[in-house]
Amino acid sequence: MKSESLEERPAAVHRGGGAKRAGEIRDRWNWVEATVWTDRMLTALEEGVKGGKWYSLMDKVYALANLRSAFKKVKANEGAAGVDHQTIEMFEHQLEENLEKLSRSLREGSYRPQAIRRVWIPKVGSKEKRPLGIPTIRDRVVESALLNVLEPIFEKEFAEQSYGFRPNRGCKEALRRVDQLLRQGKTWVVDVDVRSYFDTIPHERLMERVQERVADGRVLELLRAFLRQSVMETAKDWSPEEGTPQGAVMTPPTQ
């Protein structure tokens, strides 16, 4: 399939009041990474791209400006070192050099995620423990950069009544909606929990859904590489065939 860049096929921009309209769109998407999502891309996001798929996204992932922003998020979230024992402070000590290496390896296709360090933490309200995966700092930076590119594409399609792990949404917004529904006389609640959900997500079915909107082969391979990251637990090293690691940047945080 011939690869086309977004710039080769943008959604139509209406003449007249373009700057004002672009500003309104930007306001609606004020949480996106501005170094990635230009006004032109946000317009295409709202109006739709040809065939419903996004092409040529990898250059946005490895852009140094995106990687710098990704590191800031990783640093803000703190967290322990991965299997390479490199801390956030150590990575930051040679930040530009490390980011340039990551950018180059992503651009050349030589980047490979390192193993995830697995630890077990207490499960809230239970005597059980749940696994927590700790990627290396370099991998967390790349995951954050990838998330900066992909999240708006799928956020656009999520259900309006969904509040978990979404930008500008959370428990307070969900509670306000519950209060509205109660005032409308709707008092039934259905409580459902899927056991070990994140540990059993089928990789291929997940990738099929991603491919409905993303057609950049290099981005898809990078995402597959993160799904297949080996897990290091004590002296053992194994590769998962399903599930996503709780604790990774692209997986909702462990509760």
Side-chain angles (χ1 to χ4, degrees):
M1 181 180 293
K2 181 181 178 182
S3 176
E4 301 175 68
S5 68
L6 172 63
E7 288 72 23
E8 290 173 339
R9 50 181 195 164
V13 179
H14 300 292
R15 295 182 181 277
K20 179 180 179 181
R21 184 168 180 276
E24 293 172 351
I25 294 175
R26 175 68 63 182
D27 288 342
R28 287 195 289 273
W29 294 89
N30 59 14
W31 55 270
V32 304
E33 175 52 45
T35 63
V36 173
W37 287 90
T38 63
D39 290 344
R40 188 181 184 87
M41 287 181 67
L42 288 176
T43 299
L45 180 65
E46 289 210 346
E47 296 187 354
V49 292
K50 185 177 179 180
K53 292 188 177 184
W54 291 78
Y55 294 75
S56 298
L57 295 173
M58 191 62 180
D59 61 316
K60 280 79 173 173
V61 177
Y62 63 65
L64 280 171
N66 185 25
L67 291 173
R68 289 191 191 99
S69 175
F71 173 75
K72 290 180 181 179
K73 293 180 180 179
V74 170
K75 181 179 178 180
N77 289 332
E78 300 180 340
V83 296
D84 62 355
H85 305 292
Q86 185 179 47
T87 64
I88 292 175
E89 292 74 17
M90 293 165 65
F91 189 93
E92 188 175 26
H93 184 65
Q94 295 180 302
L95 181 60
E96 286 305 309
E97 180 181 344
N98 287 328
L99 294 182
E100 287 174 4
K101 285 181 180 178
L102 282 179
S103 178
R104 184 167 58 253
S105 63
L106 287 165
R107 184 173 63 252
E108 296 173 349
S110 60
Y111 172 82
R112 298 292 183 273
Q114 295 174 285
I116 291 175
R117 181 166 68 89
R118 169 160 286 187
V119 297
W120 292 84
I121 61 174
K123 188 173 182 179
V124 178
S126 171
K127 294 182 180 180
E128 299 180 9
K129 291 188 176 182
R130 70 168 71 217
L132 179 67
I134 304 177
T136 60
I137 305 302
R138 67 187 284 274
D139 289 342
R140 271 142 60 187
V141 170
V142 175
E143 280 192 80
S144 292
L146 182 59
L147 185 64
N148 286 344
V149 174
L150 294 181
E151 187 170 26
I153 295 173
F154 296 96
E155 171 65 24
K156 179 177 181 289
E157 301 187 19
F158 289 158
E160 180 62 30
Q161 65 270 22
S162 172
Y163 292 89
F165 312 114
R166 294 179 62 186
N168 292 342
R169 287 171 173 247
C171 294
K172 290 182 179 179
E173 288 74 22
L175 288 172
R176 291 191 187 100
R177 179 56 179 157
V178 169
D179 182 62
Q180 291 176 354
L181 294 172
L182 288 173
R183 292 175 185 275
Q184 293 172 14
K186 300 176 181 179
T187 57
W188 285 89
V189 176
V190 178
D191 185 14
V192 178
D193 188 18
V194 180
R195 184 177 180 84
S196 301
Y197 173 70
F198 290 107
D199 296 330
T200 57
I201 294 176
H203 289 175
E204 287 311 310
R205 289 178 62 186
L206 174 61
M207 290 304 303
E208 287 173 5
R209 297 304 303 273
V210 173
Q211 289 176 82
E212 292 176 4
R213 293 290 174 263
V214 177
D216 188 319
R218 291 194 295 170
V219 167
L220 295 172
E221 282 305 310
L222 180 60
L223 187 55
R224 282 194 183 93
F226 280 122
L227 289 174
R228 296 169 181 166
Q229 270 180 286
S230 60
V231 177
M232 185 172 291
E233 186 173 1
T234 62
K236 297 182 295 182
D237 190 358
W238 54 278
S239 297
E241 296 182 358
E242 61 181 6
T244 60
Q246 295 183 62
V249 174
M250 299 189 73
T251 303
T254 301
Q255 297 296 314

